[in-house]
C-alpha cells in the first residue's frame, strides 16, 4: 500500500513531488470523456520515468499474436487501443534552458483532480539549474460537451528575475506503445500543417488504416491579457510546434491557452480532416477556455445528479466511491454504441482497452442505474452487433448451426485472447452476456429489446451450450467437460458448477423469451426463426432435456455446490492459514502449485449465487459463502465486491464492509502496487454494486424496486441515487432511519424490508432501519 494522496470529499490531491510516484499518479489523475482519455502526463518535458498515454476510443491496432506454442484456434492478433499523438505537450524554455522536473528542484508540487467539475490541475515551483525560480500552474480537461475537444491553460511566472520565456506547444505523432508485441510502431503520418493559426497532424494506423487527426491553436496572455503574438512555427515529419517568446519581468504571469481537437475516421471521412479540425478549433476558440470549463462543470453536475453516493463520517470512503464513479463516468458515456469499457479504461495499456465479460457481469448495473436505460442499452447493442462474429468464433472451434461463442477479449467481435485455457475454456462469458439482457429487461421493462435484438442473441447462446455439453453414459447425465470457471486458478476442469448452472439458466431464459416474443410479436418471431433456421420444437426440447438432466457437483455432507467435480480431493487449507509472505499467490507460487491448491482467485460458485440469488434460500447462500470465502484469495479485483454483496445478503455487515474496503480504494491506495499500469476501471463498478446492492440491498422484483438496507458501523449515513424507469430516487440510510426521496414528478411504489410504500412525486418517506428481510 502506498497511501500518498490526501483525503478529500471531491478531489484527489497529491502534494509534494516524488518521482517514484509519477507513473502511479499518471494513472490516477487520468482524464477522459467517453470518446478519448489521457493519462496525467506532464505538459512540459519530463525525462524521468513516465508512461505517455493518449487513447482514442475505437482506434486500435491488431498486434500480431505472440505465444510460445501456437495452438489451432488461437486468434492471429491481440487488439490494442493504442497510444496516439501527444496533444498535451508544451515545452518550456527559460533563458535558453528547458524545464524538466527530473532535472530541477521542485517545491510546492500539488496536483488536483477535481471530480466535481471534471478537470485536472497542477502547480509547482521549479528552481531551474540556471537559478530561475518559476511558478507553474496548469489546468486541463477533455470536454464532456464537445467530445472531440480538449483544452489546457498553462501559466508560468518567473519569481526571482526577469526572464525570456519560450512556450512551445506541440503535437507529436512519434509515439509508441510500451506493450507492442514486436516493438513495432503503429502509426504513419499522412499529412501535417504548421501555421501560426492552426497546426495539425493526420496520421494513420498501419494494417487497419484508422485515420486520426490532431489539431491545435494557441494563444498567449500576459498578466491576464491576451497578447496578439504570432508564433514562429517549426515542424518535422511527425511533429508540429508553435514557438512563443515573451520577455517577462519577475512576477509577470505568462499564460498559454492550448485548444486541441482530436478526430478519427470512425466519425469523419478521411478526406475531410483538415476542414473538420479547422471547424472544431473554431468552436473551441469562440467559446474560449472559461466557457468550455463552465460547460464541463455543468455537464459533470448533471452526471452527479444521477450518480452520486455520499458517505458521512468517513472521508476516505467518500473519496474512494466518488473516484470510482468519476472514472467510470469518464470512461463510458454510451454516446457511441461501438465503444465499450476496457478493464483499464483509457488509463493504461494493460488489457489493450478491449472488452471482457467484466462489462456485462460488473459494469452494466452501474450504468443502468446511474446513467439510464439508453446508456445500458448501448452496452447490450454492442454485443448484438457482434453476434455474427460470435457465431464465426464458435464455428472456428467446431460448433455449428448458428451457435455463438462470444470472445473472452475483443475489440470488434473477434477473439483476441490467446491462452488456450481461457480462449477455449472460459466459456462462462457467454452466460454473462445473456444474463445482462435479463438484468436490463428486469430493471427497465424494455421488452422491445428482446423482440428486436435480445432473442436472437439468446438463441445463439443457448445453441452453443446445447452443443458444448455431452451425455455421460457413466453418470446418466449431461456433463460439461474441460472448462475454466471465473476462478482462473483452475483450468480444464469438469463440471464447473457455475458454468453448468449459467448454461442451463441461459437455455431456460431463451425458452422463456421465445414464448414472450412469440406472443408479443408473432410476425417478428417468425421472421427471426426463418432467418436463423430455428427448429423450435426440436431445439427447445433438447435444451429442456439438458436442463432436466444436467450434472451439478454437490457436496452432501457440507451442503454446498462444488466448484467443480473433484474439488474436495484438494488439500483443504484456508486463506487465514496462509503465510502472508506467500501472498499474492500469483507472484509467489508456481502456476502448478496454484492449480493444484484449493485457493480460489475470484468469485466462482458465489458468482452464480449472486446472479441467481432468488433461486436460493439464505441458509444455502450462507453455507456456500462461509465455505468459499474462507478459500478465496481475491487476486482478481473483480472478486471482493461479489462476496461483499452476498455478505450483506446474509446479514454479515462487518464482513461486507471488510470486503468492500478491498475495492473501494484499491487504486487510490495502490494496494497491489500496480496502479502505474492503469486503473481497475471495471472493478470500480463492483465497488458501486457493493454499496447499492450490498449495503442498500437494492433489487428489482416483479417490476418493483426493493431495498433491504444495512449500514456499516463506521458510517454515520450514506446515500445513493437510483434512476429507475421514469423516476430518480435518492436513498439515505442512517443508523436509525431510511429516507427515500422521489426527485421526480410521478409517484412510485417501492418495497422497503418487504413492505410496500408509495412515494409521491417530489416528496419523501421515512422507514426505521430494521434487520434485513429478503
Ligand atoms: C479476471 C477476469 C477478468 C480480467 C479482466 C482477470 O484477472 O480473472 O475475470 O475478466 O481480469 O478484468
Amino acid at each position: 500500500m502506498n497511501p500518498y494522496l490526501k483525503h478529500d470529499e471531491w478531489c484527489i490531491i497529491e502534494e509534494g513531488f516524488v518521482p517514484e510516484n509519477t507513473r502511479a499518479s499518471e494513472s490516477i489523475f487520468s482524464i477522459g470523456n467517453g470518446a478519448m482519455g489521457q493519462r496525467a502526463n506532464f505538459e512540459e518535458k519530463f525525462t524521468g520515468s513516465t508512461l505517455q498515454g493518449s487513447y482514442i476510443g475505437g482506434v486500435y491496432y491488431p498486434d500480431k499474436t505472440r505465444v510460445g506454442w501456437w495452438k489451432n484456434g488461437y486468434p492471429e492478433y491481440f487488439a490494442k487501443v493504442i497510444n496516439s499523438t501527444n496533444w498535451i505537450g508544451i515545452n518550456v524554455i527559460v533563458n535558453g534552458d528547458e524545464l524538466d522536473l527530473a532535472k530541477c528542484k521542485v517545491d510546492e508540487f500539488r496536483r488536483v483532480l477535481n471530480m466535481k467539475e471534471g478537470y485536472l490541475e497542477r502547480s509547482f515551483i521549479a528552481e531551474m539549474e540556471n537559478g530561475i525560480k518559476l511558478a507553474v500552474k496548469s489546468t486541463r480537461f477533455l470536454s464532456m460537451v464537445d467530445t472531440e475537444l480538449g483544452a489546457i491553460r498553462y501559466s508560468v511566472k518567473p519569481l526571482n528575475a526577469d526572464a525570456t520565456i519560450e512556450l512551445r506547444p506541440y503535437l507529436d505523432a512519434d509515439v509508441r506503445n510500451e506493450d507492442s508485441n514486436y516493438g513495432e510502431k503503429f502509426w504513419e503520418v499522412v499529412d501535417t500543417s504548421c501555421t501560426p493559426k492552426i497546426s495539425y497532424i493526420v496520421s494513420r494506423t498501419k494494417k487497419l488504416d484508422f485515420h486520426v487527426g490532431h489539431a491545435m491553436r494557441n494563444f498567449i496572455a500576459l498578466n491576464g491579457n491576451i497578447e496578439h503574438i504570432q508564433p514562429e512555427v517549426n515542424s518535422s515529419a511527425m511533429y508540429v510546434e508553435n514557438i512563443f517568446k515573451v520577455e517577462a519581468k519577475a512576477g509577470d504571469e505568462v499564460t498559454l491557452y492550448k485548444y486541441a481537437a482530436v478526430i478519427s475516421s470512425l466519425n469523419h471521412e478521411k478526406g475531410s480532416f483538415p476542414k473538420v479540425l479547422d471547424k472544431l478549433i473554431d468552436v473551441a476558440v469562440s467559446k474560449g477556455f472559461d466557457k468550455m470549463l463552465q460547460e464541463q462543470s455543468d455537464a459533470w453536475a448533471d452526471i452527479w445528479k444521477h450518480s452520486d453516493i455520499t458517505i458521512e463520517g468517513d472521508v476516505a470512503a467518500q473519496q474512494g466511491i466518488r473516484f470510482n464513479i468519476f472514472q467510470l463516468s469518464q470512461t463510458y458515456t454510451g454516446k457511441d454504441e461501438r465503444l465499450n469499457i476496457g478493464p483499464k479504461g483509457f488509463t493504461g495499456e494493460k488489457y489493450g482497452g478491449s472488452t471482457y465479460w467484466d462489462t456485462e457481469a460488473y459494469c452494466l448495473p452501474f450504468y443502468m442505474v446511474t446513467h439510464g436505460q439508453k446508456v445500458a442499452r448501448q452496452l447490450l447493442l454492442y454485443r448484438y452487433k457482434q453476434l455474427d462474429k460470435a457465431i464465426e468464433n464458435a464455428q472456428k472451434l467446431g460448433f455449428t448451426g448458428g451457435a455463438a461463442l462470444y470472445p473472452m477479449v475483443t475489440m470488434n467481435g473477434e477473439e483476441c485472447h490467446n491462452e488456450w485455457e481461457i480462449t477455449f475454456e472460459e466459456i462462462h462469458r457467454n452466460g454473462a452476456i445473456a444474463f445482462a439482457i435479463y438484468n436490463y429487461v428486469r430493471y427497465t421493462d424494455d421488452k422491445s429489446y428482446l423482440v428486436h435484438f435480445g432473442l436472437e442473441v439468446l438463441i445463439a447462446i443457448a445453441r452453443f451450450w446445447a452443443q458444448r455439453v455431452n451425455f455421460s453414459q457413466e453418470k446418466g447425465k449431461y456433463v460439461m467437460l474441460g472448462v475454466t470457471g471465473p476462478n482462473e486458478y483452475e483450468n480444464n476442469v469438469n463440471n464447473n458448477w457455475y458454468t453448468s448452472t449459467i448454461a442451463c439458466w441461459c437455455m431456460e431464459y431463451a425458452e422463456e423469451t421465445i414464448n414472450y416474443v412469440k406472443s408479443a410479436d408473432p410476425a417478428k418471431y417468425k421472421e427471426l426463426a426463418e432467418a436463423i433456421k430455428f427448429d423450435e420444437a426440436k431445439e427447445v426440447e433438447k435444451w429442456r432435456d439438458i436442463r432436466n438432466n444436467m450434472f451439478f457437483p454437490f457436496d452432501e455432507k457440507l451442503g454446498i455446490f462444488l466448484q467443480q467435480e473433484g474439488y474436495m480431493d484438494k488439500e483443504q487449507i484456508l486463506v487465514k492459514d496462509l503465510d502472508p509472505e506467500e501472498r499474492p499467490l500469483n507472484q509467489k507460487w508456481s502456476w502448478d502449485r496454484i492449480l493444484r491448491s484449493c485457493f480460489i482467485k475470484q468469485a466462482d460458485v458465489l458468482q452464480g449465487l449472486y446472479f441467481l440469488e432468488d433461486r436460493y434460500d439464505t441458509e444455502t447462500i450462507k453455507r456456500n459463502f462461509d465455505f468459499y470465502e474462507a478459500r478465496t484469495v481475491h487476486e482478481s479485483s473483480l472478486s471482493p465486491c461479489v462476496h461483499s454483496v452476498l455478505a450483506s445478503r446474509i446479514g454479515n455487515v462487518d464482513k461486507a464492509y471488510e470486503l468492500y474496503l478491498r475495492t473501494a480504494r484499491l487504486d487510490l491506495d495502490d494496494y497491489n502496487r500496480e496502479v502505474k499500469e492503469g486503473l481497475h476501471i471495471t472493478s470500480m463498478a463492483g465497488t458501486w454494486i457493493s454499496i447499492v446492492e450490498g449495503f442498500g440491498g437494492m433489487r428489482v422484483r416483479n417490476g418493483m424496486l426493493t431495498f433491504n438496507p444495512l449500514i456499516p458501523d463506521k458510517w454515520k449515513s450514506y446515500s445513493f441515487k437510483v434512476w429507475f424507469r421514469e423516476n430518480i430516487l435518492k436513498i439515505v440510510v442512517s443508523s436509525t432511519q431510511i429516507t427515500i426521496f422521489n426527485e421526480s414528478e410521478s409517484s412510485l411504489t417501492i418495497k422497503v424490508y418487504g413492505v410496500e410504500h408509495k412515494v409521491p412525486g417530489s416528496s419523501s418517506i421515512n422507514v426505521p432501519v430494521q434487520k434485513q428481510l429478503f
Side-chain angles (χ1 to χ4, degrees), residues 360-366 368-369 380 432-445 505 509 610-611 689 693 700 725:
E360 285 76 16
Y362 296 89
C363 299
L364 181 82
F366 168 79
M368 186 164 73
V369 177
L380 300 192
I433 288 163
F435 188 81
I437 298 174
Y438 166 77
N439 205 359
Y440 167 81
V441 175
R442 170 172 68 175
Y443 190 79
T444 61
D445 201 31
W505 175 87
Y509 184 50
Y610 164 65
F611 277 165
I689 291 176
E693 296 181 18
V700 176
R725 304 184 186 179

Side-chain angles (χ1 to χ4, degrees), residues 343 351 356-358 408 488 601-602 636 638 682:
Y351 295 115
Y356 286 63
W357 75 304
D358 305 27
M408 185 67 192
E488 292 177 343
K601 178 183 183 190
Q602 68 198 94
S636 160
L638 297 174
T682 49

Side-chain angles (χ1 to χ4, degrees), residues 451-472:
V451 177
H452 297 286
F453 311 105
L455 180 60
E456 197 175 337
V457 172
L458 293 171
I459 291 177
I461 287 177
R463 283 172 155 176
F464 170 80
W465 291 124
Q467 292 173 46
R468 186 60 170 75
V469 298
N470 65 280
F471 191 76
S472 155

